[in-house]
PDB file of all heavy atoms in Angstrom:
ATOM      1  N   GLY R  12      -9.900  19.762  -5.140  1.00 98.00           N
ATOM      2  CA  GLY R  12     -10.524  19.340  -6.390  1.00 98.00           C
ATOM      3  C   GLY R  12     -10.121  17.947  -6.835  1.00 98.00           C
ATOM      4  O   GLY R  12     -10.768  17.382  -7.723  1.00 98.00           O
ATOM      5  N   ASP R  13      -9.057  17.385  -6.249  1.00 98.00           N
ATOM      6  CA  ASP R  13      -8.667  16.008  -6.608  1.00 98.00           C
ATOM      7  C   ASP R  13      -9.827  15.061  -6.336  1.00 98.00           C
ATOM      8  O   ASP R  13     -10.535  15.199  -5.326  1.00 98.00           O
ATOM      9  CB  ASP R  13      -7.469  15.527  -5.776  1.00 98.00           C
ATOM     10  CG  ASP R  13      -6.152  16.151  -6.187  1.00 98.00           C
ATOM     11  OD1 ASP R  13      -6.124  16.894  -7.187  1.00 98.00           O
ATOM     12  OD2 ASP R  13      -5.157  15.901  -5.475  1.00 98.00           O
ATOM     13  N   GLU R  14      -9.996  14.102  -7.228  1.00 98.00           N
ATOM     14  CA  GLU R  14     -11.007  13.070  -7.027  1.00 98.00           C
ATOM     15  C   GLU R  14     -10.327  11.799  -6.568  1.00 98.00           C
ATOM     16  O   GLU R  14      -9.280  11.416  -7.107  1.00 98.00           O
ATOM     17  CB  GLU R  14     -11.795  12.844  -8.308  1.00 98.00           C
ATOM     18  CG  GLU R  14     -12.655  14.040  -8.680  1.00 98.00           C
ATOM     19  CD  GLU R  14     -13.551  13.781  -9.876  1.00 98.00           C
ATOM     20  OE1 GLU R  14     -13.674  12.612 -10.314  1.00 98.00           O
ATOM     21  OE2 GLU R  14     -14.136  14.759 -10.364  1.00 98.00           O
ATOM     22  N   LEU R  15     -10.906  11.157  -5.563  1.00 98.00           N
ATOM     23  CA  LEU R  15     -10.389   9.885  -5.073  1.00 98.00           C
ATOM     24  C   LEU R  15     -10.815   8.787  -6.034  1.00 98.00           C
ATOM     25  O   LEU R  15     -11.867   8.892  -6.683  1.00 98.00           O
ATOM     26  CB  LEU R  15     -10.932   9.585  -3.676  1.00 98.00           C
ATOM     27  CG  LEU R  15     -10.259  10.297  -2.507  1.00 98.00           C
ATOM     28  CD1 LEU R  15     -10.397  11.797  -2.594  1.00 98.00           C
ATOM     29  CD2 LEU R  15     -10.807   9.778  -1.196  1.00 98.00           C
ATOM     30  N   PRO R  16     -10.029   7.713  -6.141  1.00 97.00           N
ATOM     31  CA  PRO R  16     -10.443   6.606  -6.995  1.00 97.00           C
ATOM     32  C   PRO R  16     -11.712   5.953  -6.449  1.00 97.00           C
ATOM     33  O   PRO R  16     -11.913   5.901  -5.229  1.00 97.00           O
ATOM     34  CB  PRO R  16      -9.256   5.639  -6.952  1.00 97.00           C
ATOM     35  CG  PRO R  16      -8.416   6.067  -5.808  1.00 97.00           C
ATOM     36  CD  PRO R  16      -8.747   7.486  -5.493  1.00 97.00           C
ATOM     37  N   GLU R  17     -12.556   5.503  -7.340  1.00 97.00           N
ATOM     38  CA  GLU R  17     -13.784   4.830  -6.914  1.00 97.00           C
ATOM     39  C   GLU R  17     -13.461   3.473  -6.299  1.00 97.00           C
ATOM     40  O   GLU R  17     -12.464   2.841  -6.655  1.00 97.00           O
ATOM     41  CB  GLU R  17     -14.723   4.629  -8.106  1.00 97.00           C
ATOM     42  CG  GLU R  17     -15.302   5.911  -8.636  1.00 97.00           C
ATOM     43  CD  GLU R  17     -16.285   5.684  -9.772  1.00 97.00           C
ATOM     44  OE1 GLU R  17     -16.482   4.526 -10.208  1.00 97.00           O
ATOM     45  OE2 GLU R  17     -16.857   6.679 -10.238  1.00 97.00           O
ATOM     46  N   LEU R  18     -14.320   3.057  -5.375  1.00 97.00           N
ATOM     47  CA  LEU R  18     -14.242   1.723  -4.783  1.00 97.00           C
ATOM     48  C   LEU R  18     -15.611   1.092  -4.911  1.00 97.00           C
ATOM     49  O   LEU R  18     -16.602   1.654  -4.429  1.00 97.00           O
ATOM     50  CB  LEU R  18     -13.832   1.805  -3.309  1.00 97.00           C
ATOM     51  CG  LEU R  18     -13.909   0.498  -2.520  1.00 97.00           C
ATOM     52  CD1 LEU R  18     -12.900  -0.519  -3.039  1.00 97.00           C
ATOM     53  CD2 LEU R  18     -13.704   0.762  -1.026  1.00 97.00           C
ATOM     54  N   ALA R  19     -15.692  -0.059  -5.581  1.00 98.00           N
ATOM     55  CA  ALA R  19     -16.958  -0.769  -5.756  1.00 98.00           C
ATOM     56  C   ALA R  19     -16.947  -2.032  -4.899  1.00 98.00           C
ATOM     57  O   ALA R  19     -15.960  -2.768  -4.867  1.00 98.00           O
ATOM     58  CB  ALA R  19     -17.171  -1.134  -7.223  1.00 98.00           C
ATOM     59  N   ILE R  20     -18.061  -2.259  -4.200  1.00 97.00           N
ATOM     60  CA  ILE R  20     -18.202  -3.427  -3.335  1.00 97.00           C
ATOM     61  C   ILE R  20     -19.560  -4.054  -3.582  1.00 97.00           C
ATOM     62  O   ILE R  20     -20.591  -3.380  -3.490  1.00 97.00           O
ATOM     63  CB  ILE R  20     -18.071  -3.037  -1.846  1.00 97.00           C
ATOM     64  CG1 ILE R  20     -16.689  -2.450  -1.579  1.00 97.00           C
ATOM     65  CG2 ILE R  20     -18.354  -4.229  -0.939  1.00 97.00           C
ATOM     66  CD1 ILE R  20     -16.511  -1.860  -0.208  1.00 97.00           C
ATOM     67  N   ASP R  21     -19.567  -5.347  -3.901  1.00 97.00           N
ATOM     68  CA  ASP R  21     -20.817  -6.083  -4.054  1.00 97.00           C
ATOM     69  C   ASP R  21     -21.323  -6.509  -2.674  1.00 97.00           C
ATOM     70  O   ASP R  21     -20.564  -7.066  -1.875  1.00 97.00           O
ATOM     71  CB  ASP R  21     -20.614  -7.322  -4.929  1.00 97.00           C
ATOM     72  CG  ASP R  21     -20.338  -6.965  -6.379  1.00 97.00           C
ATOM     73  OD1 ASP R  21     -20.946  -5.999  -6.880  1.00 97.00           O
ATOM     74  OD2 ASP R  21     -19.515  -7.657  -7.013  1.00 97.00           O
ATOM     75  N   VAL R  22     -22.583  -6.241  -2.403  1.00 96.00           N
ATOM     76  CA  VAL R  22     -23.177  -6.561  -1.110  1.00 96.00           C
ATOM     77  C   VAL R  22     -23.927  -7.894  -1.226  1.00 96.00           C
ATOM     78  O   VAL R  22     -24.724  -8.082  -2.144  1.00 96.00           O
ATOM     79  CB  VAL R  22     -24.141  -5.443  -0.657  1.00 96.00           C
ATOM     80  CG1 VAL R  22     -24.777  -5.781   0.682  1.00 96.00           C
ATOM     81  CG2 VAL R  22     -23.404  -4.124  -0.596  1.00 96.00           C
ATOM     82  N   THR R  23     -23.654  -8.791  -0.288  1.00 94.00           N
ATOM     83  CA  THR R  23     -24.339 -10.082  -0.212  1.00 94.00           C
ATOM     84  C   THR R  23     -25.036 -10.177   1.140  1.00 94.00           C
ATOM     85  O   THR R  23     -24.746  -9.391   2.051  1.00 94.00           O
ATOM     86  CB  THR R  23     -23.332 -11.244  -0.338  1.00 94.00           C
ATOM     87  OG1 THR R  23     -22.492 -11.248   0.838  1.00 94.00           O
ATOM     88  CG2 THR R  23     -22.481 -11.124  -1.595  1.00 94.00           C
ATOM     89  N   PRO R  24     -25.947 -11.148   1.315  1.00 89.00           N
ATOM     90  CA  PRO R  24     -26.531 -11.341   2.646  1.00 89.00           C
ATOM     91  C   PRO R  24     -25.449 -11.590   3.707  1.00 89.00           C
ATOM     92  O   PRO R  24     -25.530 -11.072   4.824  1.00 89.00           O
ATOM     93  CB  PRO R  24     -27.432 -12.568   2.472  1.00 89.00           C
ATOM     94  CG  PRO R  24     -27.799 -12.561   1.023  1.00 89.00           C
ATOM     95  CD  PRO R  24     -26.572 -12.032   0.312  1.00 89.00           C
ATOM     96  N   THR R  25     -24.417 -12.320   3.336  1.00 89.00           N
ATOM     97  CA  THR R  25     -23.330 -12.584   4.272  1.00 89.00           C
ATOM     98  C   THR R  25     -22.623 -11.298   4.669  1.00 89.00           C
ATOM     99  O   THR R  25     -22.290 -11.092   5.844  1.00 89.00           O
ATOM    100  CB  THR R  25     -22.323 -13.583   3.660  1.00 89.00           C
ATOM    101  OG1 THR R  25     -23.027 -14.780   3.329  1.00 89.00           O
ATOM    102  CG2 THR R  25     -21.199 -13.900   4.612  1.00 89.00           C
ATOM    103  N   THR R  26     -22.394 -10.401   3.714  1.00 89.00           N
ATOM    104  CA  THR R  26     -21.777  -9.106   3.993  1.00 89.00           C
ATOM    105  C   THR R  26     -22.567  -8.368   5.075  1.00 89.00           C
ATOM    106  O   THR R  26     -22.006  -7.854   6.038  1.00 89.00           O
ATOM    107  CB  THR R  26     -21.743  -8.224   2.723  1.00 89.00           C
ATOM    108  OG1 THR R  26     -21.103  -8.919   1.676  1.00 89.00           O
ATOM    109  CG2 THR R  26     -21.048  -6.901   2.974  1.00 89.00           C
ATOM    110  N   VAL R  27     -23.881  -8.313   4.906  1.00 82.00           N
ATOM    111  CA  VAL R  27     -24.747  -7.582   5.832  1.00 82.00           C
ATOM    112  C   VAL R  27     -24.716  -8.228   7.219  1.00 82.00           C
ATOM    113  O   VAL R  27     -24.536  -7.560   8.233  1.00 82.00           O
ATOM    114  CB  VAL R  27     -26.193  -7.512   5.296  1.00 82.00           C
ATOM    115  CG1 VAL R  27     -27.118  -6.854   6.310  1.00 82.00           C
ATOM    116  CG2 VAL R  27     -26.237  -6.759   3.971  1.00 82.00           C
ATOM    117  N   VAL R  28     -24.879  -9.553   7.263  1.00 80.00           N
ATOM    118  CA  VAL R  28     -24.927 -10.266   8.544  1.00 80.00           C
ATOM    119  C   VAL R  28     -23.590 -10.170   9.274  1.00 80.00           C
ATOM    120  O   VAL R  28     -23.549  -9.919  10.485  1.00 80.00           O
ATOM    121  CB  VAL R  28     -25.356 -11.736   8.337  1.00 80.00           C
ATOM    122  CG1 VAL R  28     -25.221 -12.527   9.626  1.00 80.00           C
ATOM    123  CG2 VAL R  28     -26.791 -11.794   7.815  1.00 80.00           C
ATOM    124  N   LEU R  29     -22.483 -10.348   8.571  1.00 85.00           N
ATOM    125  CA  LEU R  29     -21.175 -10.257   9.226  1.00 85.00           C
ATOM    126  C   LEU R  29     -20.927  -8.857   9.784  1.00 85.00           C
ATOM    127  O   LEU R  29     -20.330  -8.707  10.856  1.00 85.00           O
ATOM    128  CB  LEU R  29     -20.062 -10.660   8.269  1.00 85.00           C
ATOM    129  CG  LEU R  29     -20.002 -12.151   7.923  1.00 85.00           C
ATOM    130  CD1 LEU R  29     -18.902 -12.417   6.910  1.00 85.00           C
ATOM    131  CD2 LEU R  29     -19.806 -12.997   9.164  1.00 85.00           C
ATOM    132  N   GLY R  30     -21.380  -7.821   9.087  1.00 83.00           N
ATOM    133  CA  GLY R  30     -21.247  -6.463   9.607  1.00 83.00           C
ATOM    134  C   GLY R  30     -22.054  -6.270  10.882  1.00 83.00           C
ATOM    135  O   GLY R  30     -21.588  -5.645  11.836  1.00 83.00           O
ATOM    136  N   ALA R  31     -23.265  -6.820  10.912  1.00 79.00           N
ATOM    137  CA  ALA R  31     -24.091  -6.723  12.124  1.00 79.00           C
ATOM    138  C   ALA R  31     -23.441  -7.484  13.280  1.00 79.00           C
ATOM    139  O   ALA R  31     -23.382  -6.990  14.408  1.00 79.00           O
ATOM    140  CB  ALA R  31     -25.491  -7.261  11.842  1.00 79.00           C
ATOM    141  N   LEU R  32     -22.919  -8.662  12.994  1.00 81.00           N
ATOM    142  CA  LEU R  32     -22.253  -9.447  14.045  1.00 81.00           C
ATOM    143  C   LEU R  32     -21.000  -8.731  14.560  1.00 81.00           C
ATOM    144  O   LEU R  32     -20.767  -8.667  15.769  1.00 81.00           O
ATOM    145  CB  LEU R  32     -21.874 -10.828  13.518  1.00 81.00           C
ATOM    146  CG  LEU R  32     -23.018 -11.787  13.237  1.00 81.00           C
ATOM    147  CD1 LEU R  32     -22.506 -13.038  12.549  1.00 81.00           C
ATOM    148  CD2 LEU R  32     -23.748 -12.139  14.518  1.00 81.00           C
ATOM    149  N   ALA R  33     -20.207  -8.196  13.658  1.00 86.00           N
ATOM    150  CA  ALA R  33     -18.966  -7.530  14.051  1.00 86.00           C
ATOM    151  C   ALA R  33     -19.233  -6.315  14.927  1.00 86.00           C
ATOM    152  O   ALA R  33     -18.412  -5.971  15.782  1.00 86.00           O
ATOM    153  CB  ALA R  33     -18.175  -7.118  12.814  1.00 86.00           C
ATOM    154  N   THR R  34     -20.371  -5.671  14.735  1.00 81.00           N
ATOM    155  CA  THR R  34     -20.701  -4.480  15.511  1.00 81.00           C
ATOM    156  C   THR R  34     -21.651  -4.796  16.664  1.00 81.00           C
ATOM    157  O   THR R  34     -22.154  -3.876  17.315  1.00 81.00           O
ATOM    158  CB  THR R  34     -21.320  -3.399  14.601  1.00 81.00           C
ATOM    159  OG1 THR R  34     -22.512  -3.912  13.996  1.00 81.00           O
ATOM    160  CG2 THR R  34     -20.335  -2.956  13.530  1.00 81.00           C
ATOM    161  N   ARG R  35     -21.887  -6.079  16.881  1.00 80.00           N
ATOM    162  CA  ARG R  35     -22.764  -6.554  17.971  1.00 80.00           C
ATOM    163  C   ARG R  35     -24.154  -5.941  17.896  1.00 80.00           C
ATOM    164  O   ARG R  35     -24.757  -5.583  18.896  1.00 80.00           O
ATOM    165  CB  ARG R  35     -22.125  -6.290  19.329  1.00 80.00           C
ATOM    166  CG  ARG R  35     -20.849  -7.045  19.514  1.00 80.00           C
ATOM    167  CD  ARG R  35     -20.277  -6.814  20.867  1.00 80.00           C
ATOM    168  NE  ARG R  35     -19.057  -7.607  21.003  1.00 80.00           N
ATOM    169  CZ  ARG R  35     -18.437  -7.801  22.130  1.00 80.00           C
ATOM    170  NH1 ARG R  35     -18.891  -7.274  23.243  1.00 80.00           N
ATOM    171  NH2 ARG R  35     -17.337  -8.523  22.177  1.00 80.00           N
ATOM    172  N   ASP R  36     -24.647  -5.824  16.697  1.00 68.00           N
ATOM    173  CA  ASP R  36     -25.983  -5.288  16.455  1.00 68.00           C
ATOM    174  C   ASP R  36     -26.906  -6.476  16.239  1.00 68.00           C
ATOM    175  O   ASP R  36     -26.947  -7.050  15.157  1.00 68.00           O
ATOM    176  CB  ASP R  36     -25.963  -4.374  15.231  1.00 68.00           C
ATOM    177  CG  ASP R  36     -27.291  -3.683  14.992  1.00 68.00           C
ATOM    178  OD1 ASP R  36     -28.308  -4.103  15.584  1.00 68.00           O
ATOM    179  OD2 ASP R  36     -27.312  -2.730  14.198  1.00 68.00           O
ATOM    180  N   TRP R  37     -27.641  -6.847  17.269  1.00 76.00           N
ATOM    181  CA  TRP R  37     -28.465  -8.058  17.206  1.00 76.00           C
ATOM    182  C   TRP R  37     -29.874  -7.778  16.695  1.00 76.00           C
ATOM    183  O   TRP R  37     -30.711  -8.671  16.676  1.00 76.00           O
ATOM    184  CB  TRP R  37     -28.541  -8.711  18.591  1.00 76.00           C
ATOM    185  CG  TRP R  37     -27.205  -8.864  19.248  1.00 76.00           C
ATOM    186  CD1 TRP R  37     -26.859  -8.409  20.476  1.00 76.00           C
ATOM    187  CD2 TRP R  37     -26.023  -9.495  18.721  1.00 76.00           C
ATOM    188  NE1 TRP R  37     -25.538  -8.706  20.742  1.00 76.00           N
ATOM    189  CE2 TRP R  37     -25.008  -9.369  19.687  1.00 76.00           C
ATOM    190  CE3 TRP R  37     -25.720 -10.134  17.513  1.00 76.00           C
ATOM    191  CZ2 TRP R  37     -23.724  -9.862  19.505  1.00 76.00           C
ATOM    192  CZ3 TRP R  37     -24.438 -10.625  17.330  1.00 76.00           C
ATOM    193  CH2 TRP R  37     -23.467 -10.491  18.314  1.00 76.00           C
ATOM    194  N   ARG R  38     -30.152  -6.542  16.287  1.00 71.00           N
ATOM    195  CA  ARG R  38     -31.495  -6.244  15.787  1.00 71.00           C
ATOM    196  C   ARG R  38     -31.763  -7.074  14.534  1.00 71.00           C
ATOM    197  O   ARG R  38     -30.937  -7.119  13.616  1.00 71.00           O
ATOM    198  CB  ARG R  38     -31.647  -4.752  15.527  1.00 71.00           C
ATOM    199  CG  ARG R  38     -31.660  -3.974  16.857  1.00 71.00           C
ATOM    200  CD  ARG R  38     -31.680  -2.519  16.647  1.00 71.00           C
ATOM    201  NE  ARG R  38     -30.326  -2.139  16.226  1.00 71.00           N
ATOM    202  CZ  ARG R  38     -29.922  -0.910  16.037  1.00 71.00           C
ATOM    203  NH1 ARG R  38     -30.745   0.090  16.195  1.00 71.00           N
ATOM    204  NH2 ARG R  38     -28.688  -0.654  15.670  1.00 71.00           N
ATOM    205  N   PRO R  39     -32.911  -7.735  14.515  1.00 65.00           N
ATOM    206  CA  PRO R  39     -33.177  -8.718  13.456  1.00 65.00           C
ATOM    207  C   PRO R  39     -33.252  -8.176  12.040  1.00 65.00           C
ATOM    208  O   PRO R  39     -33.071  -8.936  11.090  1.00 65.00           O
ATOM    209  CB  PRO R  39     -34.511  -9.353  13.866  1.00 65.00           C
ATOM    210  CG  PRO R  39     -35.075  -8.497  14.923  1.00 65.00           C
ATOM    211  CD  PRO R  39     -33.970  -7.687  15.519  1.00 65.00           C
ATOM    212  N   MET R  40     -33.471  -6.893  11.854  1.00 65.00           N
ATOM    213  CA  MET R  40     -33.554  -6.370  10.489  1.00 65.00           C
ATOM    214  C   MET R  40     -32.219  -6.430   9.763  1.00 65.00           C
ATOM    215  O   MET R  40     -32.147  -6.216   8.564  1.00 65.00           O
ATOM    216  CB  MET R  40     -34.107  -4.950  10.449  1.00 65.00           C
ATOM    217  CG  MET R  40     -33.230  -3.923  11.086  1.00 65.00           C
ATOM    218  SD  MET R  40     -33.380  -3.936  12.845  1.00 65.00           S
ATOM    219  CE  MET R  40     -34.346  -2.541  13.167  1.00 65.00           C
ATOM    220  N   HIS R  41     -31.134  -6.775  10.505  1.00 70.00           N
ATOM    221  CA  HIS R  41     -29.811  -6.881   9.903  1.00 70.00           C
ATOM    222  C   HIS R  41     -29.361  -8.328   9.703  1.00 70.00           C
ATOM    223  O   HIS R  41     -28.262  -8.551   9.203  1.00 70.00           O
ATOM    224  CB  HIS R  41     -28.778  -6.129  10.737  1.00 70.00           C
ATOM    225  CG  HIS R  41     -29.093  -4.683  10.900  1.00 70.00           C
ATOM    226  ND1 HIS R  41     -29.233  -3.822   9.825  1.00 70.00           N
ATOM    227  CD2 HIS R  41     -29.332  -3.932  11.998  1.00 70.00           C
ATOM    228  CE1 HIS R  41     -29.541  -2.612  10.274  1.00 70.00           C
ATOM    229  NE2 HIS R  41     -29.608  -2.658  11.578  1.00 70.00           N
TER     230      HIS R  41
END
Side-chain angles (χ1 to χ4, degrees):
D13 286 355
E14 293 186 11
L15 281 62
E17 291 183 357
L18 172 66
I20 298 172
D21 291 322
V22 179
T23 68
T25 302
T26 305
V27 175
V28 172
L29 289 177
L32 290 172
T34 60
R35 297 182 178 192
D36 185 345
W37 311 125
R38 290 175 285 185
M40 66 281 256
H41 301 301

